[in-house]
Amino acid sequence: MPLTNFTSLLLLVLITTTTVFANAAATPSVQTLNTHELFNPKLPPRTLSSNKKFEGSSNLVDLRYHMGPVLSSSPINIYLIWYGKWAAPQKLLITDFIHSISAAPSASPSPSVAEWWRTVSLYTDQTGANVSRAVVVAGQYSDMKYSHGNHLTRLSVQQVIASAVRSAPFPVDHKQGVYLILTSEDVTVQDFCRAVCGFHYFTFPSMVGYTLPYAWIGNSGKQCPEVCAYPFAVPGYMGGGGPGALSPPNRDVGVDGMISVIGHELAELSSNPLVNAWYAGEDPTAPTEIGDLCEGLYGTGGGGGYIGQVMRDREGRTFNVNGSKGRKFLLQWIWSPVLKACAGPNALD
C-alpha cells in the first residue's frame, strides 16, 4: 500500500491545537529515558489519548490474513538499486539502518531498530511460520546514468529492476529476495509527493520475466520534504502558527525522512509481499496494511495528528530508536496483531 500524504489533515489538527493550547504552559514538560532528554513537541490533551498503554488501539480494525505468503525464509535478502546520484554518506546511512534490523542487542541499546522489527516478525503464514527477524543487504547496484530517464512511472520502476536482473548484478531470488529501488532527489516518479512517498508491489513477468516483491522510495529532500519527510520539514504556509520542524537524527532531512518510509514499506512488504496476506479492507488493489494503520505515529501519546513522545539527544536531534554504529532513527510504529494496536519499542507505558 502506498504511503500516502496525510499531511494536510495532520497540519490542520496541529494548527488548531497549537492555538488552543499556546498558553497552557510556559515551558514543555521534560522526562528522561535512557539518559536522553524526552520531549513531545505535539503533546495532545488527554482526551485524545485516553488509552495510556497502546496507541491507536481499536477493536474495529479488521486486519485479516488472506492465506498468502509472508517473508518467512531466513534471511530476507535486500537487493538495493541506487537510481541516480547518491553520496556515499547517504548510502551508508540507509544500509546502516537495514543492518540495524538484525543487530544484536549489544550492538544497539534499547529502544532499538531490532526491537521495532519484532512487531513485524509477529505476523505468520498459514503454516505458522513468522516473518524472519534476519534481514541482510544481499547486493547493491548503482544506476548513475539514469538508464530509464529522470522521470519514472510505476511501470518503468519495474524496468529498472529488469535492467538490474538482466545485467546480472542480482540473482533472481524468488523465495527470500526483496528488490528495493531508491531514487535520488533529482528523480521524479509518478504520483510522488502528490499521492505517495513510497509503495510496494510485485513485478510482472511480462516486464521483468519473474514475479518478485519490490518497493520504491524516493528522496524528497528537494521536491517535497514537507510531505514525505515530515516532521523534519513543515510547509512554509504554516508560518508561525504551528510547530516548527524537528531536527533530523542524522542531519539529512531527505534521507532521514526516507528511512521511516523504507521501514514502513519493508514492514508491509514482509507481511504482504504478493498483496494476498495481511491487510484490512476488501479490496486487494487498495489494501490497508500494517504500516498504514499507524501512519504518523511515533510514540506514546500519539494520535489525532500528534507524533507522540519521542527522544532528543544533546544536540537537539529527534529520534525514537537506536541503530548499530551509534546511529539513531525516527521510525513510525507498526500495528501489532497481538496487541491489536500500534506498537513501538519506545513506548513509555
Side-chain angles (χ1 to χ4, degrees):
M1 177 66 178
L3 183 60
T4 55
N5 175 15
F6 68 103
T7 308
S8 296
L9 176 60
L10 181 147
L11 293 176
L12 177 61
V13 176
L14 290 178
I15 292 170
T16 302
T17 306
T18 301
T19 302
V20 174
F21 292 94
N23 298 318
T27 57
S29 59
V30 176
Q31 304 177 47
T32 57
L33 177 68
N34 294 337
T35 72
H36 294 288
E37 184 182 5
L38 249 172
F39 81 115
N40 184 359
K42 307 173 184 65
L43 184 64
R46 277 299 175 187
T47 55
L48 296 182
S49 57
S50 57
N51 185 335
K52 293 183 179 181
K53 192 165 182 59
F54 307 116
E55 308 309 316
S57 58
S58 175
N59 293 323
L60 302 178
V61 174
D62 187 22
L63 182 72
R64 291 185 293 160
Y65 176 57
H66 296 79
M67 305 305 291
V70 301
L71 297 183
S72 58
S73 297
S74 189
I76 297 172
N77 293 323
I78 305 291
Y79 298 95
L80 289 169
I81 300 175
W82 305 97
Y83 192 86
K85 296 177 181 178
W86 287 89
Q90 293 178 319
K91 289 184 176 182
L92 183 60
L93 177 55
I94 290 173
T95 54
D96 281 349
F97 165 66
I98 295 173
H99 291 313
S100 297
I101 293 174
S102 302
S106 59
S108 53
S110 182
S112 68
V113 175
E115 291 171 339
W116 172 85
W117 188 259
R118 286 178 192 170
T119 298
V120 182
S121 71
L122 294 173
Y123 289 88
T124 62
D125 63 15
Q126 57 186 312
T127 71
N130 294 77
V131 170
S132 174
R133 288 192 182 184
V135 180
V136 301
V137 176
Q140 300 186 55
Y141 171 67
S142 294
D143 190 338
M144 294 182 292
K145 295 183 178 181
Y146 305 85
S147 62
H148 294 273
N150 287 74
H151 176 76
L152 301 177
T153 65
R154 288 176 181 257
L155 287 180
S156 61
V157 164
Q158 295 199 24
Q159 292 172 343
V160 172
I161 301 172
S163 296
V165 171
R166 289 168 186 163
S167 60
F170 290 160
V172 176
D173 193 343
H174 291 284
K175 191 174 182 181
Q176 297 170 242
V178 168
Y179 298 79
L180 192 60
I181 302 91
L182 306 175
T183 51
S184 57
E185 60 188 5
D186 58 340
V187 176
T188 59
V189 178
Q190 179 184 358
D191 295 328
F192 186 30
C193 296
R194 183 188 66 81
V196 299
C197 300
F199 61 77
H200 76 89
Y201 206 60
F202 52 86
T203 60
F204 304 141
S206 60
M207 296 290 293
V208 181
Y210 310 92
T211 300
L212 303 170
Y214 77 93
W216 159 81
I217 298 94
N219 185 338
S220 67
K222 289 186 177 179
Q223 297 183 50
C224 59
E226 71 282 359
V227 175
C228 293
Y230 188 91
F232 302 132
V234 296
Y237 63 77
M238 286 183 63
L246 304 183
S247 179
N250 300 285
R251 297 190 177 93
D252 190 320
V253 169
V255 177
D256 276 309
M258 280 186 79
I259 285 172
S260 186
V261 184
I262 291 171
H264 175 116
E265 297 300 337
L266 285 181
E268 295 183 341
L269 189 57
S270 298
S271 58
N272 196 29
L274 300 180
V275 200
N276 61 357
W278 288 95
Y279 64 87
E282 300 301 324
D283 185 1
T285 65
T288 300
E289 299 172 286
I290 66 172
D292 302 321
L293 290 167
C294 304
E295 192 171 317
L297 185 61
Y298 297 84
T300 300
Y306 299 94
I307 70 168
Q309 293 265 16
V310 292
M311 290 176 282
R312 183 172 59 189
D313 67 15
R314 292 180 178 86
E315 297 180 15
R317 294 176 294 179
T318 308
F319 68 103
N320 65 354
V321 289
N322 296 291
S324 58
K325 300 182 181 179
R327 295 285 197 185
K328 294 175 173 55
F329 305 102
L330 186 70
L331 299 179
Q332 71 148 89
W333 283 9
I334 298 297
W335 186 265
S336 166
V338 175
L339 303 176
K340 298 189 183 306
C342 297
N346 59 309
L348 298 182
D349 42 22

